[in-house]
Amino acid sequence: MSSPTEAATRPDFTTSICLEQPLPGNPYVAERRYISGYNVADLWRNCHYCDGLLLLLTGELPSQPQRRLLEMLLVGLLDPGPRHPAVRAAMLAGVSKSGPEHLLPLGLLTGSGQRGGALEVENAWAFINSHLQNNPAALAALCLAEARPTPGFGSSFGAVEPIWQRLAEDLVAVMPEQPVLNWCRDFCRVLHGQNQGWLLPGLIAAVGLTLGLDARKCLGLWQLALAPAVMAHGMEQTHKPISSNALLRDDQYDCD
């Protein structure tokens, strides 16, 4: 039978991401912590947040263009607006007096399965990754002609959202020689003729692929990107009376 000390020092999980050097005499407290070989103290003194985030996700510190690409994406998605399902869910929960600690997880969980949500990011990643060897213009024309689904691309309420198109143009400009972003740009050029274009999941999937992230990590990136808006909008509503929530008129209810 192992002693209590031996049991305490034996890890329950293994990870290639983090290494901790325990405090002498106390294995429960870390004296130093390393992320993929980098002392976390050096990271907080010398790196940007996006550097550390990509180090966690990829095991490597990014180049300056890679950091700028992720930073621009995160700022661009900082607030997708109150009509986004994840944000809307947190707002409704906030004004309904749900506990503030529940607003962020509730919003992200509610928005995950919606078109434009986290699961669509996985679908968009798979769609882009599986077609990178195809001619993007020809594929877009075929998808339009045969009404094939194009995860990550399309229209929102019957229109192209200009904000996402402008963000995509700026993202491509950060790394103009990057094949994934260029492929998506050329794919969208054909879609624009039919009033379709970039959707939020497509942006996240394309940037994730460019940065070397797999589909699961892109799903997590979606959650990280939207979390500030979900939290902020939800918290704002907690200060309002429940009567401020818009209600349907009596004649708008269907009681059949």
Side-chain angles (χ1 to χ4, degrees):
M1 180 180 296
S2 60
S3 68
T5 301
E6 291 172 338
T9 57
R10 187 173 62 245
D12 294 323
F13 299 98
T14 60
T15 174
S16 60
I17 297 174
C18 179
L19 172 67
E20 292 185 335
Q21 292 181 345
L23 192 68
N26 189 340
Y28 296 102
V29 178
E31 184 177 35
R32 292 182 181 84
R33 182 175 295 115
Y34 297 85
I35 300 175
S36 294
Y38 291 89
N39 191 320
V40 69
D42 292 331
L43 294 175
W44 77 55
R45 291 168 183 154
N46 302 300
C47 293
H48 295 260
Y49 171 76
C50 287
D51 293 329
L53 178 56
L54 283 173
L55 181 64
L56 276 172
L57 295 175
T58 68
E60 300 287 344
L61 285 173
S63 65
Q64 194 279 333
Q66 289 174 322
R67 177 213 299 158
R68 180 58 184 147
L69 186 73
L70 179 57
E71 184 178 62
M72 185 179 291
L73 176 75
L74 293 179
V75 173
L77 305 187
L78 196 60
D79 189 356
R83 284 181 297 275
H84 191 281
V87 177
R88 190 66 175 176
M91 294 176 69
L92 290 173
V95 79
S96 300
K97 306 310 173 189
S98 295
E101 72 276 15
H102 300 306
L103 299 180
L104 180 57
L106 189 153
L108 293 179
L109 284 171
T110 302
S112 291
Q114 300 283 341
R115 188 171 185 266
L119 298 182
E120 186 72 0
V121 174
E122 283 192 301
N123 295 333
W125 188 98
F127 176 79
I128 297 170
N129 189 55
S130 64
H131 289 296
L132 284 175
Q133 302 307 315
N134 298 340
N135 181 286
L139 177 65
L142 183 63
C143 289
L144 290 171
E146 299 182 355
R148 293 187 186 182
T150 55
F153 307 91
S155 61
S156 180
F157 299 99
V160 175
E161 294 194 58
I163 293 175
W164 301 145
Q165 316 316 304
R166 290 195 293 269
L167 175 58
E169 292 173 5
D170 288 344
L171 290 170
V172 174
V174 172
M175 300 182 71
E177 305 302 320
Q178 215 292 321
V180 173
L181 293 173
N182 284 332
W183 188 95
C184 293
R185 177 201 58 199
D186 295 341
F187 184 79
C188 280
R189 282 175 175 170
V190 177
L191 296 183
H192 287 160
Q194 297 296 321
N195 201 30
Q196 298 185 44
W198 288 91
L199 296 176
L200 190 155
L203 284 171
I204 295 178
V207 170
L209 269 166
T210 300
L211 296 173
L213 304 183
D214 62 23
R216 293 180 180 182
K217 290 178 180 177
C218 285
L219 188 155
L221 183 61
W222 177 92
Q223 294 178 312
L224 286 171
L226 295 190
V230 172
M231 182 273 293
H233 280 285
M235 293 296 181
E236 178 192 37
Q237 299 301 313
T238 63
H239 302 286
K240 298 181 180 180
I242 195 170
S243 58
S244 67
N245 194 16
L247 298 176
L248 296 174
R249 300 191 309 271
D250 289 346
D251 61 357
Q252 292 177 314
Y253 285 92
D254 184 356
C255 300
D256 294 339

